[in-house]
Amino acid sequence: MSDDRVKIAPSILAADFTRLGADVAEVEKFAASAGVDRLHIDVMDGMFVPNISFGIPVLKSLAKVTRLPLETHLMIEAPERYLEDFVAAGSTSLLVHVEAAHHLHRTVQRIKSLGVKAGVVLNPATPLTVLE
């Protein structure tokens, strides 16, 4: 039987960084009743996207304070360089951009071989046909 409920993955970008652990604990407290089944971590390198955000140390710290799975959205150039590091830090799924991965198929296979879920993300201007 499939679970057709809407799944919610709040992004920690919306958190108050001075109280990140407390904000995550608050989300976790109401996770089940709110439909939250994971946290979304936006990792930005300032090259693939203009912003810079979290890295491996923040993810590693979050993994210590939550039981929620950590969905890591890698908005970084050549994400294949860091797959093992993000999994070791606590990522339970890795999302990579088709525009940033040099060999998308190999990158997705590598993510799966690390024992976590893999996802592919497209920028709004990228046509779906690139995945064919």
Side-chain angles (χ1 to χ4, degrees):
M1 176 171 264
S2 71
D3 185 358
D4 294 333
R5 294 180 304 140
V6 171
K7 304 290 185 176
I8 298 172
S11 172
I12 66 167
L13 275 177
D16 177 347
F17 299 147
T18 63
R19 37 176 284 117
L20 187 55
D23 280 0
V24 168
E26 190 74 12
V27 167
E28 197 169 62
K29 185 171 22 171
F30 298 103
S33 63
V36 171
D37 66 338
R38 65 197 178 280
L39 291 176
H40 184 85
I41 317 301
D42 288 304
V43 176
M44 297 179 262
D45 65 1
M47 296 177 68
F48 179 68
V49 294
N51 297 330
I52 297 174
S53 69
F54 316 106
I56 294 162
V58 171
L59 185 79
K60 192 172 186 176
S61 295
L62 281 173
K64 293 177 184 176
V65 299
T66 187
R67 293 182 311 265
L68 291 170
L70 300 175
E71 170 184 271
T72 307
H73 180 182
L74 300 176
M75 290 181 269
I76 61 177
E77 290 289 331
E80 58 276 1
R81 298 175 296 164
Y82 301 104
L83 302 176
E84 290 84 359
D85 296 329
F86 279 104
V87 171
S91 293
T92 56
S93 61
L94 295 173
L95 311 177
V96 295
H97 276 265
V98 67
E99 303 89 356
H102 292 112
H103 300 282
L104 182 62
H105 181 73
R106 283 189 230 164
T107 301
V108 168
Q109 290 305 314
R110 181 66 187 137
I111 293 168
K112 290 179 179 181
S113 77
L114 294 170
V116 299
K117 294 179 181 179
V120 175
V121 183
L122 301 172
N123 283 335
T126 302
L128 286 173
T129 56
V130 302
L131 296 176
E132 292 176 348

